[in-house]
Amino acid sequence: MANRPDHLTPTDPFRLPAQPQAERSRAAARLEQARADLSRMARSTAKADAEAPQQPDGATPTAPPAAYDPAAIAARIDLMRGRFTKAREDAVSALLFLSDAQQDCDALSEAADANRWPQMAAGIQLLSQSLRRALPAEARHLDLIGLLIDALYALRRAETRPDMGRAGEDLLRGLRLAVARELSTTDA
């Protein structure tokens, strides 16, 4: 009986490939660590907000926002990169990733603003714009998204090291050119 629902053929497009147990456990450990870091950041931010003196209505706070931990930002980028690698397997997964990754961009943008990282914020903005314009069936668009995610690591490093400011600017200039070249056909 070929039509039995419990019978899956090896060419079933919805069947996930088997992963080695060690790879799954490492990914799960990284995911739990990132969640713990984000939870810790949220608790410390909430605690700082509770301890801050109350501002009268209409007054702007004078204290700068709490800075995000660079390790937590790197963990968020790692999670995005891991999900992107899985999303490249088929067009439906890629489409879902392109829409879901906007939330990651929003969180990373908030972290970059809190840490006063303008180059990182510009790289996140490029990624966010590219996610909206990329076509999931176009391999070169997905290659560009992967490049932009990887560039976030370098931009984060450029922001945390004072001797790499110029390298960050050069990287952003190259990324803008790549986005303009690869995604120019989707603007029509």
Side-chain angles (χ1 to χ4, degrees):
M1 257 194 209
N3 292 332
R4 286 183 28 201
D6 59 328
H7 177 65
L8 294 176
T9 62
T11 59
D12 186 0
F14 297 108
R15 187 173 183 181
L16 296 175
Q19 288 181 324
Q21 180 63 30
E23 182 180 326
R24 280 185 282 178
S25 64
R26 281 193 304 269
R30 286 192 306 262
L31 177 63
E32 288 302 316
Q33 178 64 35
R35 285 181 180 157
D37 290 343
L38 291 173
S39 175
R40 192 175 324 113
M41 282 191 313
R43 281 193 307 267
S44 67
T45 303
K47 182 179 176 185
D49 289 344
E51 293 174 355
Q54 295 296 326
Q55 298 288 332
D57 289 340
T60 57
T62 57
Y68 283 78
D69 180 20
I73 295 170
R76 171 78 83 164
I77 298 169
D78 286 341
L79 288 172
M80 187 188 311
R81 182 66 178 153
R83 287 190 0 257
F84 176 71
T85 301
K86 290 291 181 191
R88 293 207 61 168
E89 293 174 359
D90 61 87
V92 174
S93 297
L95 179 63
L96 292 173
F97 172 81
L98 292 175
S99 64
D100 291 344
Q102 287 295 334
Q103 294 173 351
D104 292 320
C105 287
D106 294 341
L108 287 170
S109 181
E110 180 182 319
D113 290 342
N115 287 345
R116 294 187 176 105
W117 291 349
Q119 292 176 351
M120 181 80 171
I124 295 165
Q125 183 182 13
L126 272 175
L127 175 60
S128 180
Q129 292 169 354
S130 299
L131 288 168
R132 286 190 294 264
R133 295 170 54 197
L135 299 174
E138 286 286 333
R140 62 191 177 100
H141 290 186
L142 296 178
D143 291 341
L144 177 66
I145 298 297
L147 175 71
L148 291 169
I149 292 171
D150 289 341
L152 294 180
Y153 292 109
L155 290 171
R156 183 185 62 88
R157 188 174 304 123
E159 294 284 10
T160 57
R161 291 185 48 193
D163 61 331
M164 292 185 64
R166 176 69 182 189
E169 291 171 13
D170 292 342
L171 176 60
L172 279 172
R173 189 175 312 110
L175 291 172
R176 285 185 187 107
L177 291 172
V179 168
R181 182 183 65 237
E182 294 299 326
L183 296 177
S184 64
T185 59
T186 61
D187 289 337

